[in-house]
Amino acid sequence: MRPLFEDLLTEEQQALAETVRCFVKDELKPYLASSPDDEFPRLLFARLCAMGLGGIPFPAEYGGGGADYATYALVLEELAVAGGALAGTLSVHGLPQLILNRFGTEEQKRRYLPRLAGGELLGAFALTEPETGSDAAAIATRAAADPDGFLISGSKAWITHSTVADLFVVFARTGEKEISAFLVEKTASGLTPLPPERKMGLRRSPTGGLSLDGVRVPKGALVGRPGDGLGIALTALDSGRITIGALAVGLCRGALEAALGYVRTRKAFGRPLEKNDVVRARLAEMAARTEAAAALVREAARLRDSGRPFSAAAAAAKLVATDTALFVTAEAVQLCGATGVSGEFPAIHFFNDAKIAQIVEGANDVQRMVLARALLS
Ligand SMILES: Cc1cc2nc3c(=O)[nH]c(=O)nc-3n(C[C@H](O)[C@H](O)[C@H](O)COP(=O)(O)OP(=O)(O)OC[C@H]3O[C@@H](n4cnc5c(N)ncnc54)[C@H](O)[C@@H]3O)c2cc1C
């Protein structure tokens, strides 16, 4: 199903969306159908980067695509029509790029951004810990200054790309009330990824813990100033909420496609399900809610692109799009009957990914908190 408002996209955006659709049809879907469901699609990630999509909204002078966030969101939406994992990878990969681009020194940018955009390096964002997720200010990982740089010790949990990333942005406490951000390469001594979690969805995207046992990083690994870390993390998450919203819209479209395919061919009570008014009403509701979520995500991206404050808009877009995704994907499972719950059929995978999307990049209750704060301030 194509977006109802596709004609409102620029010609460039329409052409890019078509390119991504062809990639999804000719490369991503065949790969998904023929590989283990927990295999990380590194080669397809590399293909996306080779297509110039590894750093869509980042400056061309550092190897990025120089496009706006609305275009980035559109690409993520199209990718997620086949499931959330590869779109999730591109979204998380964008966080270290955003952080470097916004807060990095010229040297840090030149060293890492072109390799991230080109796919030589895969990025990760390491904030969450075993004892704290929503309350990011409570992290316990510490970075102690020494004459050569910093020694980082602690544990991270639920880190996307934990076992496959080449570059982590690690957040650690540099003082009682001070959190800082560090660039940590996967080869750093003392950094050990733990076995990935067994998740209900996004199974191709490895998510797991990191043990940091006296990881030594040079002074040049610090991003921003000491104490800037929490602000850096929250700035990245604001933008990440738009990309997770876009991913959720893609899941809605994929689930709707699966449901349409089923009701067109399945017969009940002597006629195809698609002739049944109740079924038709459900499909219409799914489509209408998907378009509403898509519009909110696009508007949040456009607001960001206009340079205006977009934090509340991003929270609203993430909240509505991921809640919508859970509704639409559950409806898709229902409309496909028993087939809907089969692991061999896509509907349940969209549902599983949608549930996770409600939790990542700040659980939806945290989005409600952000919105309420904006409303009442
Ligand atoms: C697949 C996956 C990938 C992830 N990838 C990353 C990653 O790459 N990097 C990273 O750093 N983290 C990552 N995370 C972690 C994610 O950001 C956290 O799970 C999320 O922020 C929620 O934190 P938590 O799980 O500790 O939930 P908790 O903080 O324990 O909260 C549990 C629930 O309590 C409620 N709640 C919490 N706080 C409030 C509040 N203030 N008001 C109202 N209700 C509240 C919410 O309903 C919430 O869902 C990932 C998680 C998953 C599942």
Side-chain angles (χ1 to χ4, degrees):
M1 182 207 122
R2 296 212 173 179
L4 285 179
F5 304 112
E6 192 177 24
D7 289 347
L8 291 178
L9 301 176
T10 65
E11 274 181 27
E12 259 183 345
Q13 287 174 329
Q14 290 187 29
L16 182 59
E18 188 53 34
T19 302
V20 179
R21 256 178 238 134
C22 289
F23 168 80
V24 167
K25 180 168 147 288
D26 298 338
E27 299 183 55
L28 181 54
K29 284 188 174 171
Y31 166 81
L32 296 177
S34 63
S35 55
D37 79 344
D38 59 354
E39 183 174 280
F40 178 65
R42 182 88 199 204
L43 287 179
L44 288 183
F45 167 70
R47 268 284 294 139
L48 281 179
C49 294
M51 289 161 68
L53 303 177
I56 297 167
F58 305 108
E61 67 169 306
Y62 300 113
D68 55 19
Y69 238 69
T71 304
Y72 182 29
L74 181 69
V75 169
L76 294 169
E77 181 184 322
E78 290 296 339
L79 286 174
V81 172
L86 193 57
T89 276
L90 211 55
S91 162
V92 170
H93 184 62
L95 297 177
Q97 293 183 77
L98 182 150
I99 289 169
L100 278 160
N101 185 47
R102 176 91 184 263
F103 302 99
T105 61
E106 191 56 28
E107 194 188 332
Q108 288 170 334
K109 290 184 197 183
R110 299 234 168 260
R111 183 178 168 112
Y112 291 114
L113 280 175
R115 289 153 76 204
L116 286 162
E120 184 192 331
L121 301 179
L122 174 65
F125 173 90
L127 177 65
T128 303
E129 301 191 349
E131 298 303 324
T132 191
S134 305
D135 185 6
I139 60 168
T141 295
R142 291 193 171 270
D146 77 359
D148 299 325
F150 298 86
L151 269 182
I152 310 178
S153 294
S155 306
K156 294 292 171 182
W158 294 100
I159 306 306
T160 298
H161 302 154
S162 56
T163 52
V164 291
D166 304 292
L167 180 69
F168 297 85
V169 176
V170 172
F171 297 88
R173 203 162 271 295
T174 41
E176 232 14 77
K177 298 209 159 145
E178 192 180 280
I179 290 173
S180 304
F182 299 93
L183 298 166
V184 180
E185 297 188 12
K186 75 166 176 203
T187 48
S189 154
L191 174 69
T192 314
L194 306 177
E197 304 288 342
R198 293 185 63 233
K199 310 192 297 291
M200 65 188 289
L202 297 181
R203 286 176 48 78
R204 290 172 184 275
S205 163
T207 312
L210 298 174
S211 159
L212 297 122
D213 183 11
V215 175
R216 187 177 293 283
V217 292
K219 283 190 182 137
L222 177 72
V223 186
R225 290 162 306 181
D228 284 351
L230 190 60
I232 290 175
L234 298 180
T235 299
L237 289 171
D238 271 347
S239 294
R241 285 167 187 162
I242 298 175
T243 62
I244 296 300
L247 179 154
V249 173
L251 296 177
C252 293
R253 286 176 48 205
L256 186 50
E257 250 172 47
L260 287 169
Y262 184 85
V263 302
R264 280 192 179 122
T265 51
R266 181 77 170 181
K267 285 197 177 130
F269 303 99
R271 56 183 186 160
L273 277 176
E274 68 169 330
K275 303 283 183 209
N276 180 304
D277 285 341
V278 174
V279 168
R280 295 170 80 90
R282 279 181 183 251
L283 291 167
E285 179 88 24
M286 289 160 75
R289 291 205 198 188
T290 299
E291 293 299 337
L296 208 50
V297 171
R298 273 196 292 272
E299 290 307 295
R302 285 181 51 196
L303 197 60
R304 185 190 189 283
D305 290 332
S306 75
R308 275 170 277 204
F310 65 95
S311 191
K318 196 266 176 179
L319 171 65
V320 171
T322 57
D323 281 1
T324 300
L326 198 69
F327 170 81
V328 169
T329 58
E331 287 291 280
V333 171
Q334 185 73 28
L335 281 175
C336 299
T339 304
V341 298
S342 163
E344 307 303 315
F345 194 76
I348 192 70
H349 300 296
F350 288 117
F351 175 81
N352 289 343
D353 290 358
K355 184 62 232 175
I356 293 180
Q358 286 187 313
I359 294 169
V360 297
E361 230 78 2
N364 279 3
D365 287 326
V366 169
Q367 313 308 326
R368 291 185 177 94
M369 195 175 81
V370 170
L371 271 170
R373 198 184 294 140
L375 276 173
L376 295 166
S377 67

PDB file of all heavy atoms in Angstrom, residues 34-56:
ATOM      1  N   SER A  34      15.047 -16.046   3.140  1.00  0.00           N
ATOM      2  CA  SER A  34      15.963 -17.168   2.922  1.00  0.00           C
ATOM      3  C   SER A  34      17.096 -17.246   3.943  1.00  0.00           C
ATOM      4  O   SER A  34      18.052 -17.988   3.757  1.00  0.00           O
ATOM      5  CB  SER A  34      16.563 -17.056   1.519  1.00  0.00           C
ATOM      6  OG  SER A  34      17.311 -15.863   1.443  1.00  0.00           O
ATOM      7  N   SER A  35      16.997 -16.452   5.033  1.00  0.00           N
ATOM      8  CA  SER A  35      18.098 -16.476   6.008  1.00  0.00           C
ATOM      9  C   SER A  35      17.522 -16.671   7.417  1.00  0.00           C
ATOM     10  O   SER A  35      16.341 -16.403   7.648  1.00  0.00           O
ATOM     11  CB  SER A  35      18.886 -15.165   5.923  1.00  0.00           C
ATOM     12  OG  SER A  35      18.004 -14.086   6.104  1.00  0.00           O
ATOM     13  N   PRO A  36      18.343 -17.134   8.362  1.00  0.00           N
ATOM     14  CA  PRO A  36      17.851 -17.322   9.731  1.00  0.00           C
ATOM     15  C   PRO A  36      17.295 -16.024  10.297  1.00  0.00           C
ATOM     16  O   PRO A  36      17.845 -14.946  10.020  1.00  0.00           O
ATOM     17  CB  PRO A  36      19.112 -17.754  10.501  1.00  0.00           C
ATOM     18  CG  PRO A  36      20.080 -18.206   9.477  1.00  0.00           C
ATOM     19  CD  PRO A  36      19.771 -17.478   8.211  1.00  0.00           C
ATOM     20  N   ASP A  37      16.222 -16.101  11.099  1.00  0.00           N
ATOM     21  CA  ASP A  37      15.520 -14.869  11.492  1.00  0.00           C
ATOM     22  C   ASP A  37      16.263 -14.061  12.565  1.00  0.00           C
ATOM     23  O   ASP A  37      15.790 -13.005  12.974  1.00  0.00           O
ATOM     24  CB  ASP A  37      14.075 -15.168  11.911  1.00  0.00           C
ATOM     25  CG  ASP A  37      13.982 -15.716  13.325  1.00  0.00           C
ATOM     26  OD1 ASP A  37      15.021 -16.145  13.873  1.00  0.00           O
ATOM     27  OD2 ASP A  37      12.866 -15.703  13.873  1.00  0.00           O
ATOM     28  N   ASP A  38      17.435 -14.567  13.001  1.00  0.00           N
ATOM     29  CA  ASP A  38      18.215 -13.743  13.936  1.00  0.00           C
ATOM     30  C   ASP A  38      19.577 -13.358  13.339  1.00  0.00           C
ATOM     31  O   ASP A  38      20.496 -12.986  14.063  1.00  0.00           O
ATOM     32  CB  ASP A  38      18.407 -14.462  15.279  1.00  0.00           C
ATOM     33  CG  ASP A  38      19.110 -15.792  15.108  1.00  0.00           C
ATOM     34  OD1 ASP A  38      19.341 -16.212  13.949  1.00  0.00           O
ATOM     35  OD2 ASP A  38      19.440 -16.416  16.135  1.00  0.00           O
ATOM     36  N   GLU A  39      19.658 -13.427  12.020  1.00  0.00           N
ATOM     37  CA  GLU A  39      20.927 -13.075  11.369  1.00  0.00           C
ATOM     38  C   GLU A  39      20.967 -11.570  11.098  1.00  0.00           C
ATOM     39  O   GLU A  39      20.041 -11.026  10.486  1.00  0.00           O
ATOM     40  CB  GLU A  39      21.055 -13.842  10.048  1.00  0.00           C
ATOM     41  CG  GLU A  39      22.371 -13.604   9.335  1.00  0.00           C
ATOM     42  CD  GLU A  39      22.494 -14.498   8.106  1.00  0.00           C
ATOM     43  OE1 GLU A  39      22.837 -15.680   8.273  1.00  0.00           O
ATOM     44  OE2 GLU A  39      22.220 -14.020   6.981  1.00  0.00           O
ATOM     45  N   PHE A  40      22.032 -10.926  11.528  1.00  0.00           N
ATOM     46  CA  PHE A  40      22.157  -9.482  11.285  1.00  0.00           C
ATOM     47  C   PHE A  40      22.475  -9.246   9.802  1.00  0.00           C
ATOM     48  O   PHE A  40      23.436  -9.823   9.284  1.00  0.00           O
ATOM     49  CB  PHE A  40      23.270  -8.887  12.159  1.00  0.00           C
ATOM     50  CG  PHE A  40      23.465  -7.423  11.907  1.00  0.00           C
ATOM     51  CD1 PHE A  40      22.465  -6.523  12.217  1.00  0.00           C
ATOM     52  CD2 PHE A  40      24.632  -6.941  11.329  1.00  0.00           C
ATOM     53  CE1 PHE A  40      22.620  -5.166  11.956  1.00  0.00           C
ATOM     54  CE2 PHE A  40      24.802  -5.580  11.078  1.00  0.00           C
ATOM     55  CZ  PHE A  40      23.789  -4.698  11.393  1.00  0.00           C
ATOM     56  N   PRO A  41      21.699  -8.391   9.121  1.00  0.00           N
ATOM     57  CA  PRO A  41      21.888  -8.219   7.669  1.00  0.00           C
ATOM     58  C   PRO A  41      23.018  -7.263   7.310  1.00  0.00           C
ATOM     59  O   PRO A  41      22.796  -6.222   6.704  1.00  0.00           O
ATOM     60  CB  PRO A  41      20.522  -7.685   7.215  1.00  0.00           C
ATOM     61  CG  PRO A  41      19.987  -6.981   8.397  1.00  0.00           C
ATOM     62  CD  PRO A  41      20.548  -7.626   9.627  1.00  0.00           C
ATOM     63  N   ARG A  42      24.230  -7.632   7.689  1.00  0.00           N
ATOM     64  CA  ARG A  42      25.372  -6.716   7.488  1.00  0.00           C
ATOM     65  C   ARG A  42      25.555  -6.363   6.011  1.00  0.00           C
ATOM     66  O   ARG A  42      25.841  -5.223   5.656  1.00  0.00           O
ATOM     67  CB  ARG A  42      26.645  -7.370   8.048  1.00  0.00           C
ATOM     68  CG  ARG A  42      27.894  -6.519   7.955  1.00  0.00           C
ATOM     69  CD  ARG A  42      28.028  -5.623   9.177  1.00  0.00           C
ATOM     70  NE  ARG A  42      28.919  -4.508   8.969  1.00  0.00           N
ATOM     71  CZ  ARG A  42      29.563  -3.865   9.944  1.00  0.00           C
ATOM     72  NH1 ARG A  42      29.406  -4.218  11.184  1.00  0.00           N
ATOM     73  NH2 ARG A  42      30.332  -2.842   9.680  1.00  0.00           N
ATOM     74  N   LEU A  43      25.383  -7.368   5.141  1.00  0.00           N
ATOM     75  CA  LEU A  43      25.616  -7.093   3.719  1.00  0.00           C
ATOM     76  C   LEU A  43      24.570  -6.134   3.163  1.00  0.00           C
ATOM     77  O   LEU A  43      24.868  -5.271   2.329  1.00  0.00           O
ATOM     78  CB  LEU A  43      25.603  -8.396   2.916  1.00  0.00           C
ATOM     79  CG  LEU A  43      26.842  -9.276   3.110  1.00  0.00           C
ATOM     80  CD1 LEU A  43      26.733 -10.557   2.305  1.00  0.00           C
ATOM     81  CD2 LEU A  43      28.112  -8.509   2.716  1.00  0.00           C
ATOM     82  N   LEU A  44      23.338  -6.275   3.649  1.00  0.00           N
ATOM     83  CA  LEU A  44      22.303  -5.363   3.160  1.00  0.00           C
ATOM     84  C   LEU A  44      22.503  -3.962   3.732  1.00  0.00           C
ATOM     85  O   LEU A  44      22.213  -2.963   3.058  1.00  0.00           O
ATOM     86  CB  LEU A  44      20.914  -5.903   3.504  1.00  0.00           C
ATOM     87  CG  LEU A  44      20.521  -7.124   2.675  1.00  0.00           C
ATOM     88  CD1 LEU A  44      19.117  -7.563   3.001  1.00  0.00           C
ATOM     89  CD2 LEU A  44      20.623  -6.825   1.188  1.00  0.00           C
ATOM     90  N   PHE A  45      23.003  -3.904   4.949  1.00  0.00           N
ATOM     91  CA  PHE A  45      23.357  -2.595   5.514  1.00  0.00           C
ATOM     92  C   PHE A  45      24.437  -1.945   4.630  1.00  0.00           C
ATOM     93  O   PHE A  45      24.349  -0.769   4.272  1.00  0.00           O
ATOM     94  CB  PHE A  45      23.849  -2.755   6.957  1.00  0.00           C
ATOM     95  CG  PHE A  45      24.525  -1.527   7.500  1.00  0.00           C
ATOM     96  CD1 PHE A  45      23.800  -0.381   7.784  1.00  0.00           C
ATOM     97  CD2 PHE A  45      25.903  -1.510   7.707  1.00  0.00           C
ATOM     98  CE1 PHE A  45      24.435   0.763   8.256  1.00  0.00           C
ATOM     99  CE2 PHE A  45      26.540  -0.379   8.181  1.00  0.00           C
ATOM    100  CZ  PHE A  45      25.806   0.761   8.455  1.00  0.00           C
ATOM    101  N   ALA A  46      25.426  -2.760   4.242  1.00  0.00           N
ATOM    102  CA  ALA A  46      26.502  -2.241   3.378  1.00  0.00           C
ATOM    103  C   ALA A  46      25.930  -1.789   2.028  1.00  0.00           C
ATOM    104  O   ALA A  46      26.354  -0.775   1.475  1.00  0.00           O
ATOM    105  CB  ALA A  46      27.563  -3.317   3.174  1.00  0.00           C
ATOM    106  N   ARG A  47      24.944  -2.539   1.534  1.00  0.00           N
ATOM    107  CA  ARG A  47      24.314  -2.164   0.259  1.00  0.00           C
ATOM    108  C   ARG A  47      23.632  -0.797   0.388  1.00  0.00           C
ATOM    109  O   ARG A  47      23.757   0.055  -0.486  1.00  0.00           O
ATOM    110  CB  ARG A  47      23.241  -3.206  -0.130  1.00  0.00           C
ATOM    111  CG  ARG A  47      23.751  -4.305  -0.997  1.00  0.00           C
ATOM    112  CD  ARG A  47      23.951  -3.866  -2.457  1.00  0.00           C
ATOM    113  NE  ARG A  47      22.720  -3.527  -3.159  1.00  0.00           N
ATOM    114  CZ  ARG A  47      22.583  -2.490  -3.995  1.00  0.00           C
ATOM    115  NH1 ARG A  47      23.588  -1.667  -4.217  1.00  0.00           N
ATOM    116  NH2 ARG A  47      21.431  -2.269  -4.625  1.00  0.00           N
ATOM    117  N   LEU A  48      22.921  -0.620   1.500  1.00  0.00           N
ATOM    118  CA  LEU A  48      22.241   0.671   1.714  1.00  0.00           C
ATOM    119  C   LEU A  48      23.260   1.809   1.731  1.00  0.00           C
ATOM    120  O   LEU A  48      23.034   2.878   1.154  1.00  0.00           O
ATOM    121  CB  LEU A  48      21.502   0.667   3.059  1.00  0.00           C
ATOM    122  CG  LEU A  48      20.162  -0.048   3.125  1.00  0.00           C
ATOM    123  CD1 LEU A  48      19.599   0.048   4.544  1.00  0.00           C
ATOM    124  CD2 LEU A  48      19.169   0.568   2.129  1.00  0.00           C
ATOM    125  N   CYS A  49      24.385   1.546   2.398  1.00  0.00           N
ATOM    126  CA  CYS A  49      25.427   2.589   2.474  1.00  0.00           C
ATOM    127  C   CYS A  49      25.994   2.849   1.078  1.00  0.00           C
ATOM    128  O   CYS A  49      26.235   3.995   0.704  1.00  0.00           O
ATOM    129  CB  CYS A  49      26.525   2.175   3.447  1.00  0.00           C
ATOM    130  SG  CYS A  49      25.928   2.093   5.149  1.00  0.00           S
ATOM    131  N   ALA A  50      26.184   1.775   0.304  1.00  0.00           N
ATOM    132  CA  ALA A  50      26.700   1.944  -1.059  1.00  0.00           C
ATOM    133  C   ALA A  50      25.712   2.741  -1.920  1.00  0.00           C
ATOM    134  O   ALA A  50      26.105   3.423  -2.870  1.00  0.00           O
ATOM    135  CB  ALA A  50      26.979   0.580  -1.686  1.00  0.00           C
ATOM    136  N   MET A  51      24.428   2.649  -1.566  1.00  0.00           N
ATOM    137  CA  MET A  51      23.405   3.414  -2.302  1.00  0.00           C
ATOM    138  C   MET A  51      23.356   4.867  -1.825  1.00  0.00           C
ATOM    139  O   MET A  51      22.507   5.648  -2.251  1.00  0.00           O
ATOM    140  CB  MET A  51      22.018   2.772  -2.087  1.00  0.00           C
ATOM    141  CG  MET A  51      21.826   1.444  -2.793  1.00  0.00           C
ATOM    142  SD  MET A  51      20.435   0.488  -2.084  1.00  0.00           S
ATOM    143  CE  MET A  51      19.030   1.489  -2.579  1.00  0.00           C
ATOM    144  N   GLY A  52      24.241   5.212  -0.867  1.00  0.00           N
ATOM    145  CA  GLY A  52      24.270   6.594  -0.364  1.00  0.00           C
ATOM    146  C   GLY A  52      23.281   6.833   0.767  1.00  0.00           C
ATOM    147  O   GLY A  52      22.943   7.975   1.074  1.00  0.00           O
ATOM    148  N   LEU A  53      22.808   5.744   1.410  1.00  0.00           N
ATOM    149  CA  LEU A  53      21.774   5.901   2.434  1.00  0.00           C
ATOM    150  C   LEU A  53      22.298   5.658   3.855  1.00  0.00           C
ATOM    151  O   LEU A  53      21.527   5.499   4.791  1.00  0.00           O
ATOM    152  CB  LEU A  53      20.603   4.939   2.134  1.00  0.00           C
ATOM    153  CG  LEU A  53      19.965   5.116   0.751  1.00  0.00           C
ATOM    154  CD1 LEU A  53      18.868   4.089   0.519  1.00  0.00           C
ATOM    155  CD2 LEU A  53      19.397   6.529   0.603  1.00  0.00           C
ATOM    156  N   GLY A  54      23.631   5.624   4.008  1.00  0.00           N
ATOM    157  CA  GLY A  54      24.195   5.343   5.336  1.00  0.00           C
ATOM    158  C   GLY A  54      24.237   6.551   6.253  1.00  0.00           C
ATOM    159  O   GLY A  54      24.439   6.410   7.461  1.00  0.00           O
ATOM    160  N   GLY A  55      24.054   7.744   5.670  1.00  0.00           N
ATOM    161  CA  GLY A  55      24.099   8.953   6.509  1.00  0.00           C
ATOM    162  C   GLY A  55      23.231  10.026   5.878  1.00  0.00           C
ATOM    163  O   GLY A  55      23.679  11.161   5.677  1.00  0.00           O
ATOM    164  N   ILE A  56      21.984   9.676   5.606  1.00  0.00           N
ATOM    165  CA  ILE A  56      21.095  10.524   4.783  1.00  0.00           C
ATOM    166  C   ILE A  56      21.044  11.991   5.233  1.00  0.00           C
ATOM    167  O   ILE A  56      21.240  12.888   4.412  1.00  0.00           O
ATOM    168  CB  ILE A  56      19.664   9.920   4.749  1.00  0.00           C
ATOM    169  CG1 ILE A  56      19.702   8.542   4.089  1.00  0.00           C
ATOM    170  CG2 ILE A  56      18.692  10.849   4.021  1.00  0.00           C
ATOM    171  CD1 ILE A  56      18.437   7.727   4.283  1.00  0.00           C
TER     172      ILE A  56
END
